[in-house]
Amino acid sequence: MPLDNLWLHFTRHADADDHAVPVIARGEGAYVWDTEGRRYLDGLAGLFTVQVGHGREELAEAAARQTRELAYFPLWSAAHPRAIELAERLVAEAPGDLNRVFFTVSGGESVETAWKLAKNYFKLTGKPTKHKVISRSLAYHGTSQGALSITGLPALKKDFEPLVPSTIRVPNTNFYRAPEHADDYEAFGRWAADQIEQAILFEGADTVAAVFLEPVQNTGGCFPPPPGYFQRVREICDRHDVLLVSDEVVCAIGRLGHTFGAQRYGYQPDMITTAKGLTSGYAPLGAVLIDERLMEPFRKDGTVFMHGSTYGGHPVSCAVALANLDLIERDGIYEHVLSNEDAFKSTLDKLRDLPIVGDVRGTGFFYGIELVKDREAKTSFTAEESERILKGYVSTTLFDNGLYCRADDRAEPVVQLSPPLICEQSHFDEMEQIIRHALEGAWKLI
Ligand SMILES: Cc1ncc(COP(=O)(O)O)c(C=O)c1O
């Protein structure tokens, strides 16, 4: 199909215009089909989103039912039943006192909302200079100017500077390339957490409002937290009255086998930002779960959180999210992830026999395979090699052989996998075989 009028996201249009880009027309279960009828295993759940797989009749029905009943009404000084029910449901499944839900349309908008709320909260509680945000190197938090400012990927930001000021980066938990304590995972975790405290002290605790962290950091290729990392971050945040925001746009709704990633690692955030898997992508929806105490100052007479959007908490999206959570519960999807994650990981670990595979890491149904030129020295590729091998060969070969996933070189080159949560051993084997074939070919090009 000609792409004469469509502007794709994050896409080099010189390439997109020259070579056909995939035009995906249909999906069912863990597979999608293009307009030519070719089938692909959806190794990325669309974009870390389609938790329950494609083509679920129940979700289509829920959307149709809600569209007939009440297609649209805003949450500006009004409410509708599906938003009320969904907020109640999310709160019931959330850790601690995250008793308030502010609905948005997307992950980035959830991040914006959480930062604005943090600033507003401190202004209302006598600490008006607390406004800065600390986030981690390479972490992606969205593209709107606030969320992009929090994002730790300079290459994504440079064309849009100056962005919103007052964000600070600290090291992530990439143990494979640990700059300190490379032989002691827990010590590395303590060091990484302490970098957050160093940043707070350096900036001045009276200026720092929040820390934004993903349970497992996506960009860079799935960095899980070392044991004790989040517990130490929690202590640091408490010590300096800094809010801990768990950005779970990817990690919530079963990606790590629980409703929320914070539950997997046993820590208590002050806010959780989420989106994506909340509706399994069948309709756009985001949410911020907020600790009850953060709402207290907004209950005072005349106080308003001056923030919202037309489609935040859209009734059709809320109805789809409720049906999605029903389906997840009925089919035991979280249990399925927990009982299959080891099999998924050990299937991918077979790839370690290839000299190009430096590391295989991740948790739940969320893995990154880091590619290296020299495994002993952990040498990465030059920009030219990355372009030629990763973009020019690995990406296309994976896709041509029937696997949709992401070969990402925003940091070190990684192949990322985040398939629908219904996948089982046959899908793990299929991914491993297709990746093996592509990486064997890539090695010959080095
Ligand atoms: C951790 C994280 N936060 C925020 C976002 C932004 O979400 P959206 O693309 O829905 O705006 C993403 C998107 O992938 C993400 O991974």
Side-chain angles (χ1 to χ4, degrees):
M1 285 173 105
L3 281 176
D4 294 340
N5 302 112
L6 185 61
W7 195 326
L8 300 175
H9 299 205
F10 283 107
T11 302
R12 295 180 186 180
H13 261 275
D15 296 348
D17 295 343
D18 290 350
H19 310 103
V21 299
V23 181
I24 302 299
R26 189 169 74 79
E28 197 181 323
Y31 293 92
V32 291
W33 283 259
D34 68 13
T35 43
E36 308 293 319
R38 282 186 294 255
R39 189 181 86 153
Y40 305 90
L41 177 56
D42 183 359
L44 208 58
L47 198 56
F48 313 95
T49 296
V50 189
Q51 315 297 70
V52 298
H54 298 271
R56 291 293 198 142
E57 199 54 41
E58 301 95 311
L59 302 197
E61 270 308 313
R65 213 178 311 118
Q66 184 60 42
T67 308
R68 284 188 212 103
E69 189 178 309
L70 177 71
Y72 176 71
F73 211 76
L75 294 178
W76 293 51
S77 306
H80 55 74
R82 295 304 91 76
I84 296 170
E85 290 158 14
L86 181 59
E88 195 180 321
R89 177 96 182 243
L90 290 172
V91 164
E93 296 190 24
D97 292 330
L98 298 173
N99 293 345
R100 290 284 163 178
V101 183
F102 191 101
F103 286 115
T104 69
V105 184
S106 66
E109 203 197 316
S110 296
V111 169
E112 290 287 341
T113 302
W115 188 8
K116 287 177 79 174
L117 182 56
K119 285 163 118 176
N120 200 162
Y121 167 77
F122 283 118
K123 285 191 199 313
L124 290 173
T125 51
K127 297 186 174 177
T129 56
K130 272 175 133 8
H131 66 286
K132 296 178 189 169
V133 165
I134 293 171
S135 59
R136 293 186 294 198
S137 165
L138 304 180
Y140 180 86
H141 294 284
T143 51
S144 60
Q145 300 209 35
L148 185 58
S149 182
I150 295 175
T151 290
L153 289 156
L156 258 63
K157 303 162 82 161
K158 66 179 174 35
D159 295 335
F160 311 106
E161 298 283 1
L163 290 165
V164 183
S166 312
T167 66
I168 298 108
R169 237 63 55 210
V170 292
N172 55 45
T173 57
N174 181 0
F175 187 56
Y176 181 65
R177 295 188 180 279
E180 300 278 339
H181 306 290
D183 52 356
D184 184 339
Y185 196 31
E186 289 191 30
F188 168 68
R190 285 194 295 276
W191 170 83
D194 287 347
Q195 298 312 298
I196 295 175
E197 184 156 46
Q198 289 302 313
I200 294 172
L201 293 172
F202 184 77
E203 294 295 321
D206 57 338
T207 70
V208 180
V211 180
F212 280 65
L213 306 172
E214 293 165 86
V216 174
Q217 182 173 317
N218 181 11
T219 309
C222 292
F223 305 139
Y229 173 82
F230 273 109
Q231 285 65 30
R232 198 166 178 99
V233 171
R234 181 70 266 178
E235 286 166 20
I236 291 166
C237 287
D238 288 344
R239 199 149 50 233
H240 300 291
D241 198 12
V242 167
L243 302 179
L244 173 54
V245 181
S246 192
D247 185 355
E248 308 209 3
V249 170
V250 168
C251 290
I253 320 295
R255 181 61 49 207
L256 307 182
H258 296 264
T259 310
F260 297 104
Q263 291 160 323
R264 168 113 200 187
Y265 297 110
Y267 66 94
Q268 182 60 49
D270 299 298
M271 289 190 252
I272 291 178
T273 50
T274 189
K276 293 188 186 268
L278 190 51
T279 60
S280 282
Y282 282 64
L285 185 66
V288 188
L289 283 85
I290 302 152
D291 191 286
E292 188 66 34
R293 82 177 194 286
L294 301 183
M295 195 185 192
E296 282 310 314
F298 293 92
R299 290 174 177 287
K300 301 222 168 80
D301 251 5
T303 311
V304 177
F305 182 39
M306 290 286 186
H307 181 69
S309 66
T310 303
Y311 289 138
H314 193 286
V316 176
S317 302
C318 290
V320 170
L322 284 162
N324 184 46
L325 295 174
D326 283 346
L327 201 161
I328 284 171
E329 192 177 324
R330 188 199 68 198
D331 289 0
I333 300 276
Y334 299 160
E335 294 76 8
H336 176 79
V337 170
L338 292 175
S339 56
N340 282 272
E341 62 177 359
D342 289 346
F344 191 8
K345 174 77 165 57
S346 53
T347 305
L348 296 178
D349 272 337
K350 289 187 197 163
L351 295 166
R352 286 180 186 270
D353 67 353
L354 302 174
I356 197 172
V357 172
D359 197 19
V360 179
R361 55 182 176 250
T363 309
F365 272 28
F366 190 32
Y367 293 100
I369 301 161
E370 181 164 337
L371 309 183
V372 287
K373 201 159 62 173
D374 178 337
R375 194 151 55 181
E376 284 305 304
K378 299 186 182 175
T379 317
S380 195
F381 298 94
T382 62
E384 181 276 323
E385 288 164 338
S386 204
E387 183 68 30
R388 183 165 51 87
I389 297 164
L390 198 73
K391 288 215 171 65
Y393 183 81
V394 176
S395 277
T396 45
T397 307
L398 291 170
F399 192 69
D400 291 347
N401 285 284
L403 177 62
Y404 169 76
C405 65
R406 177 188 264 184
D408 190 0
D409 68 345
R410 289 178 294 181
E412 309 298 341
V414 281
V415 175
Q416 273 186 296
L417 293 166
S418 168
L421 308 182
I422 53 167
C423 282
E424 47 198 32
Q425 189 61 47
S426 61
H427 302 108
F428 308 152
D429 290 336
E430 193 176 339
M431 287 184 238
E432 192 268 339
Q433 285 299 306
I434 297 174
I435 295 169
R436 174 174 294 280
H437 172 74
L439 296 187
E440 281 169 352
W443 188 245
K444 293 188 188 131
L445 298 176
I446 293 173

